[in-house]
Amino acid sequence: MGADIVLWMIALLIILILMGVHITVALGVTSALGVYLMMGSFDVAMSIIGTTAYEAIRKDVFAVIPLFVLMGDLVGRSGAARDLYRICDRLLRRIPGRLAVATVAGNAVFAAVTGVSIAAAATFSRIAYPEMRKLGYRQTFALGAVAGSACLGMLIPPSVLMIVWAILTEMSVGALFMAGIVPGVLLAVMFALYCVVAVKLDPSIAPPATDNNLADMSAAERRSEAIGGLGIGALVMLVIGGIWGGLFTPTEAAGFGVLGALVIGLVKGMRWSQIIDAIYNAGRTTAPIMILLVTATMYSRLLALGGAVNAIKAMLLGTGLGPIALMMMMGGIWLVLGMLIDSVSIILLTVPIFAPLAIQLGYDPLAFAIFGILIIEAGLLTPPFGLLVYTVKASVPDRAVSLAMIFRGSMPYWILIVVAAAMVLFVPGLANWLPQMMR
């Protein structure tokens, strides 16, 4: 009976989301109603839901999300991201399509301090796209480089998606962070190689760049650029190196990361008002995520009480489909959901069901997590409603840009993300090699 109630609640949840009800409200309503129908008592249901919410939010790992978001916001507002981009551009000056490659490289490093693809897309839409267009880069090629490489923000740690995935599955945040490094670097290399090959095949899409020379900059500008670029590098080493070396827990690393980002911002000349704005913005970004996590924990408790996970697993396994076919089914669901709702919501809705099934099918939990995050990020580029594409459209300082241009430009990156996901699924060592070395 419990499993039947949960299945009805999942159906109601889907209906509410399709009707436009906010996912937080939909999760809360269906969880409360489902627990009430199973318990038969309103007071008991409210007690279970209240205890679940309290136990969920009191975990110290929840502090990681606002801290890493604040760290990325401070770095972005300080101008260090622009410094990083220009340094990458200068270092890659002999490479065809160097500004596109610099965008990929800049996003890869920026991903290690922001953890949010949307933030990366908004930042580099304002920094990289105007530079590429000024030098004659084709619009679709420039837009694709910005939108596609922004996906690295959710794969290269610290990543908000990894933190949420770890909380839901009770995995180690640090291990999941380490699992994302090799696939993240591999995907960044694949993106960069695509840019080079595309320019080699059609040089007209990216004319050779001739500017951004140190000689054209004043001593103060060179000093400021060095502080920003090297500061981000030091921040990455502090956060990722501290976790890797066992010096910090992820929560502690996030705290030190905020302090480091604040120092960079102050040295770069950030004003007190800008720092306060960054704190407010981090709160506005993370508050909805925290509420989502509370309602998602209630949803997970509903699934556990009703035994729905086992029922759904039995139903899917009873279809007679092999493990690969079931993985493709999960991937297809993630791609469709990626067109409609944000990445965190997708994880909250599906991972409590998909993760146990994948483990039962014999897949490595770390490799499956990276596979899932890659596919979910690909969904953000999937037509016609890819949310990352809309972010780029809203952020680029060029009103002539259309959604069709961004979708066309980002399609090669979409293909590469799916290829990388398949590689992780079939070669799990790409994800679990680094975590195993840390043990």
Side-chain angles (χ1 to χ4, degrees), residues 332-343 346 375-382 385-388:
I333 292 171
W334 277 329
L335 287 174
V336 172
L337 289 176
M339 296 187 294
L340 305 173
I341 56 178
D342 64 278
S343 302
I346 295 171
I375 294 295
I376 290 169
E377 282 300 286
L380 296 184
L381 295 175
T382 305
F385 304 115
L387 297 181
L388 200 59

Side-chain angles (χ1 to χ4, degrees), residues 4 29 47 57 66 75 103-104 145 170 177 229 246 299 305 313 348 382:
D4 293 339
V29 168
S47 175
I57 204 68
V75 169
T103 301
V104 173
E170 299 184 352
F177 277 1
Y299 167 69
L305 286 173
K313 285 195 298 184
L348 298 178
T382 305

Side-chain angles (χ1 to χ4, degrees), residues 357-381:
L357 176 59
I359 292 172
Q360 184 168 336
L361 291 172
Y363 288 98
D364 179 83
L366 289 173
F368 178 73
I370 301 302
F371 165 77
I373 289 170
L374 280 165
I375 294 295
I376 290 169
E377 282 300 286
L380 296 184
L381 295 175

Side-chain angles (χ1 to χ4, degrees), residues 182-338:
V182 173
V185 172
L186 174 64
L187 186 60
V189 171
M190 292 167 65
F191 285 169
L193 287 176
Y194 159 72
C195 293
V196 173
V197 172
V199 175
K200 282 285 190 182
L201 294 175
D202 185 3
S204 67
I205 65 175
T210 57
D211 60 350
N212 191 17
N213 295 315
L214 279 173
D216 299 330
M217 300 170 62
S218 66
E221 289 174 331
R222 289 197 294 269
R223 183 170 60 253
S224 179
E225 184 180 281
I227 290 171
L230 296 177
I232 288 182
L235 197 59
V236 172
M237 292 302 297
L238 174 68
V239 174
I240 304 302
I243 296 174
W244 192 351
L247 299 176
F248 310 134
T249 65
T251 307
E252 293 166 344
F256 279 103
V258 170
L259 288 176
L262 181 59
V263 170
I264 294 172
L266 292 173
V267 174
K268 291 278 293 177
M270 280 186 73
R271 298 177 179 176
W272 179 247
S273 60
Q274 292 176 298
I275 295 172
I276 294 298
D277 285 343
I279 294 172
Y280 283 152
N281 189 65
R284 286 191 292 267
T285 301
T286 56
I289 296 176
M290 304 298 271
I291 298 172
L292 263 173
L293 285 171
V294 170
T295 55
T297 305
M298 294 160 52
Y299 167 69
S300 297
R301 178 62 63 89
L302 171 66
L303 295 178
L305 286 173
V309 173
N310 291 331
I312 293 172
K313 285 195 298 184
M315 181 177 65
L316 291 175
L317 293 173
T319 61
L321 297 174
I324 300 300
L326 289 173
M327 289 296 109
M328 291 178 63
M329 180 189 298
M330 293 181 200
I333 292 171
W334 277 329
L335 287 174
V336 172
L337 289 176

